[in-house]
Amino acid sequence: MAAASSSTKFIFPPSISSSSPSSSSHRSRSKLLLAFLSPTAATASPLSLTLSRSRSHYGRAPRRSLIVTDALKSAESTETSASKSRSAGRGGAGSAEDGPTILVSEKLGEAGLEVLRGYGRLECLYDLSPEELCKKISSVDALIVRSGTKVTRQVFEAAKGRLKVVGRAGVGIDNVDLQAATEHGCLVVNAPTANTVAAAEHGIALLAAMARNVAQADASIKAGKWERSKYVGVSLVGKTLAVMGFGKVGSEVARRAKGLGMTVIAHDPYAPADRARAMGVELVSFDQAIATADFLSLHMPLTPTTSKIFNDNTFSKMKKGVRIVNVARGGVIDEDALVRALDSGIVAQAALDVFTKEPPPSDSKLVQHPNVTVTPHLGASTKEAQEGVAIEIAEAVVGALNGELAATAVNAPMVPPDVLSELAPYVVLAEKLGRLAVQLVAGGKGIQSVRVIYRSARDTDDLDTRLLRAMITKGIIEPISASFINLVNADYTAKQKGLRIVEERVSVDASPESPVDSIQVKICNVESKFASAVTESGEISIEGKVKDGIPRLTCVGSFGVDVSLEGNLLLCRQVDQPGMIGHVGNILGERNVNVSFMTVGRTVRRRQAIMAIGVDEEPNKETLQKIGEVPAIEEFVFLNL
């Protein structure tokens, strides 16, 4: 595969251009599912795309990916809908009362309500039951909620296509069914920045209150007691605070803790090291953070990776007498394990604003523990933050109703069906490569630079890589982040996390029928859990292709492999000698771990090789340890795809 030429472009971030208007014949035959028109394409009607979880047509397990299931389905004119959308925009004829109907189902700051009143017909109906919401929703164009309203699939179905945007006044969107929103053509936006300072201030307030037993002493005096000796506290100055999650809130907490005379370290796989250094904060690994800290302040998102990450095993690695503050998400802590750690003295005190279940049970052992200070999810509860969130979400909703592509969008926009149809298998490949690459990263330095190399026989202008780049970003960021990545917000989110994406196009002698011959992802300036994935230039490098419609991993570092990118993957670097496949296979078989495929790649005969093994189940710790004890195996890593 000889490269004829290459070009490099720096994407950080590009302007997001709208897709070209569809033809009139398409407009008359398309079904309105994803109606996101940009201002420069106001005359275009969107084409029908359904983005969903689906089984591969090759009969394999479900894939979490974007696929085209209905590119140009039944004839249904969208001229009326498009016309209404255009006339509803600012500058059109008519008053705000003639504009779109906006339903606010939970209390919102007055400043935000004023923005909405100036744009459309505002209705504030609080405490609606699910049945009442479903009955009302078919007559509104936009819905604004906080955390109490559940926007379920039933709500989107009841909207009958009229609901264009759901705004979540806050960060978390656990109460909105994103998949259903996408399928029904509804954009979902949130307000992720306005409550940053409020949450950080509450974290510091809990930190100080916990250290000085403020809540317990207050309750004691109100009970008629005077127990000065019982409530002797600890000083913050000179103590080490580990900030777990160095994003917007975490960095603000660190800034304030430095002002209190604390030594601050942080763990975050995406935090730029130079930004941390500028604040006098050292980035460290997760294990180093929990082993070093006198105080832990949690600011991690709740994802499958972080769910109950603070558990019996984690607590056993901490300093005896550590103190923990959590103003992030309750689910990152195993609450039963925290009670055990408090009882044993490993954790001296905890201050919690969030819980796995909210409100927590009144008889909760954790809430009632004498060494625990609790508040009812007050992190964003300041007048200033509430007004800021109200304005932020109101402006995002108005922008969405105007057809603008919002940077705070959390689900997918309209993509031309011909592009999505052609790129569908490569979309899966791109996300899987990103997901695989991030799992190979080790250490606390964080990912700052990624190179993506597309090898293609097509001309430079004949391949739109925005979607592929978005999916690589999605694969890298989503496994350990609360962010939801799509074509709209991929570059914005990458920039917010300090992630620089560089794309290169390399021309090759291959079939021009395929848009891409291969995709290579390189992560620069990081350590790797699997040294064989690192090239001579010091980059983690993986490469993949689509073969017969199936995304496959074709290269790890300098080793060629050929494995399907699905399920679980075990990579082993070994001495190239007979019997290795059978040896490892026997270990897995004895422990009832089914092998779905196996391949071996090597550089020089009888020297080193990489064995790639696909397994249906996740091997337990003992099984992995047994594989690692095989003398000829030099290193291995388990990856979940």
Side-chain angles (χ1 to χ4, degrees), residues 31-46:
K31 182 178 180 182
L32 184 59
L33 288 183
L34 296 179
F36 309 125
L37 302 177
S38 74
T40 57
T43 60
S45 296

Side-chain angles (χ1 to χ4, degrees), residues 158-212:
K160 300 177 180 179
R162 176 165 176 175
L163 186 64
K164 299 179 182 67
V165 58
V166 171
R168 164 66 167 95
V171 179
I173 50 171
D174 302 342
N175 55 318
V176 180
D177 189 329
L178 288 179
Q179 185 66 29
T182 299
E183 291 177 9
H184 289 80
C186 183
L187 188 67
V188 180
V189 295
N190 67 351
T193 62
N195 58 12
T196 296
V197 171
E201 288 178 344
H202 195 61
I204 292 295
L206 286 178
L207 182 75
M210 174 181 63
R212 298 306 297 271

Side-chain angles (χ1 to χ4, degrees), residues 237-436:
V237 67
K239 299 297 195 306
T240 297
L241 172 68
V243 176
M244 309 301 287
F246 200 62
K248 295 184 182 69
V249 178
S251 58
E252 290 297 329
V253 167
R255 195 188 313 276
R256 287 157 176 76
K258 292 286 290 183
L260 294 172
M262 303 186 79
T263 299
V264 182
I265 59 176
H267 169 72
D268 190 317
Y270 295 111
D274 53 352
R275 181 166 65 88
R277 279 195 302 270
M279 294 177 59
V281 175
E282 179 186 2
L283 290 179
V284 298
S285 68
F286 181 88
D287 286 344
Q288 186 178 350
I290 63 174
T292 306
D294 301 302
F295 292 82
L296 287 162
S297 187
L298 312 187
H299 304 284
M300 314 170 91
L302 180 58
T303 70
T305 303
T306 63
S307 178
K308 295 187 177 180
I309 194 171
F310 292 93
N311 49 42
D312 288 312
N313 181 53
T314 311
F315 290 131
S316 70
K317 298 177 182 179
M318 296 181 183
K319 271 185 181 181
K320 187 175 178 63
V322 69
R323 289 169 168 81
I324 298 175
V325 175
N326 187 12
V327 294
R329 288 290 184 267
V332 301
I333 296 178
D334 182 332
E335 294 181 350
D336 292 334
L338 178 54
V339 171
R340 290 189 288 272
L342 286 160
D343 289 341
S344 69
I346 293 176
V347 176
Q349 291 177 294
L352 309 173
D353 185 49
V354 289
F355 305 89
T356 301
K357 180 181 179 182
E358 295 185 353
S362 58
D363 60 350
S364 165
K365 291 182 180 179
L366 182 61
V367 172
Q368 299 300 331
H369 200 285
N371 293 332
V372 174
T373 301
V374 292
T375 53
H377 206 145
L378 298 179
S381 295
T382 65
K383 292 180 179 179
E384 294 83 359
Q386 295 299 303
E387 288 296 293
V389 166
I391 293 172
E392 186 175 6
I393 196 60
E395 290 179 344
V397 167
V398 167
L401 288 172
N402 274 327
E404 298 167 7
L405 297 178
T408 59
V410 292
N411 66 338
M414 191 264 293
V415 177
D418 53 339
V419 174
L420 238 179
S421 179
E422 183 177 57
L423 291 181
Y426 301 92
V427 162
V428 179
L429 173 64
E431 181 180 359
K432 295 289 188 181
L433 290 175
R435 188 173 294 271
L436 174 59

Side-chain angles (χ1 to χ4, degrees), residues 7 9 458-464 505 507:
S7 59
K9 57 179 179 178
R458 295 197 175 175
D459 294 336
T460 301
D461 297 330
D462 196 21
L463 177 62
D464 185 349
R505 188 81 59 85
S507 296

Side-chain angles (χ1 to χ4, degrees), residues 18-243:
S18 62
S19 56
S20 60
S22 56
S23 67
S24 59
S25 60
H26 278 166
R27 287 200 300 270
S28 64
R29 294 187 293 115
S30 62
K31 182 178 180 182
L32 184 59
L33 288 183
L34 296 179
F36 309 125
L37 302 177
S38 74
T40 57
T43 60
S45 296
L47 298 176
S48 168
L49 300 175
T50 300
L51 311 181
S52 63
R53 296 178 187 266
S54 172
R55 294 187 64 87
S56 163
H57 57 277
Y58 290 91
R60 299 189 182 273
R63 290 198 178 106
R64 179 172 174 270
S65 59
L66 300 171
I67 63 170
V68 180
T69 61
D70 193 5
L72 287 170
K73 206 177 177 183
S74 60
E76 177 176 311
S77 175
T78 60
E79 287 299 321
T80 301
S81 296
S83 176
K84 287 182 179 179
S85 176
R86 292 192 294 271
S87 64
R90 282 182 180 157
S95 66
E97 286 298 314
D98 299 324
T101 299
I102 304 167
L103 172 63
V104 177
S105 67
E106 296 175 70
K107 290 185 178 179
L108 195 69
E110 182 59 31
L113 296 177
E114 281 301 311
V115 172
L116 299 172
R117 288 190 190 101
Y119 180 76
R121 192 164 67 88
L122 178 65
E123 295 187 31
C124 297
L125 300 174
Y126 305 146
D127 301 320
L128 292 173
S129 68
E131 294 75 20
E132 290 171 333
L133 179 60
C134 286
K135 185 176 180 179
K136 177 66 179 176
I137 202 66
S138 62
S139 63
V140 303
D141 301 285
L143 170 66
I144 296 180
V145 303
R146 299 189 75 86
S147 59
T149 302
K150 305 297 182 185
V151 191
T152 63
R153 179 173 292 276
Q154 289 72 30
V155 172
F156 290 108
E157 290 173 350
K160 300 177 180 179
R162 176 165 176 175
L163 186 64
K164 299 179 182 67
V165 58
V166 171
R168 164 66 167 95
V171 179
I173 50 171
D174 302 342
N175 55 318
V176 180
D177 189 329
L178 288 179
Q179 185 66 29
T182 299
E183 291 177 9
H184 289 80
C186 183
L187 188 67
V188 180
V189 295
N190 67 351
T193 62
N195 58 12
T196 296
V197 171
E201 288 178 344
H202 195 61
I204 292 295
L206 286 178
L207 182 75
M210 174 181 63
R212 298 306 297 271
N213 299 302
V214 171
Q216 294 87 339
D218 174 75
S220 173
I221 291 181
K222 288 176 178 176
K225 302 176 184 179
W226 188 262
E227 300 174 296
R228 292 183 65 193
S229 60
K230 181 177 180 179
Y231 295 116
V232 173
V234 293
S235 181
L236 299 178
V237 67
K239 299 297 195 306
T240 297
L241 172 68
V243 176

Side-chain angles (χ1 to χ4, degrees), residues 578-590:
M580 290 302 300
I581 293 176
H583 197 159
V584 175
N586 284 337
I587 293 174
L588 294 170
E590 289 169 359

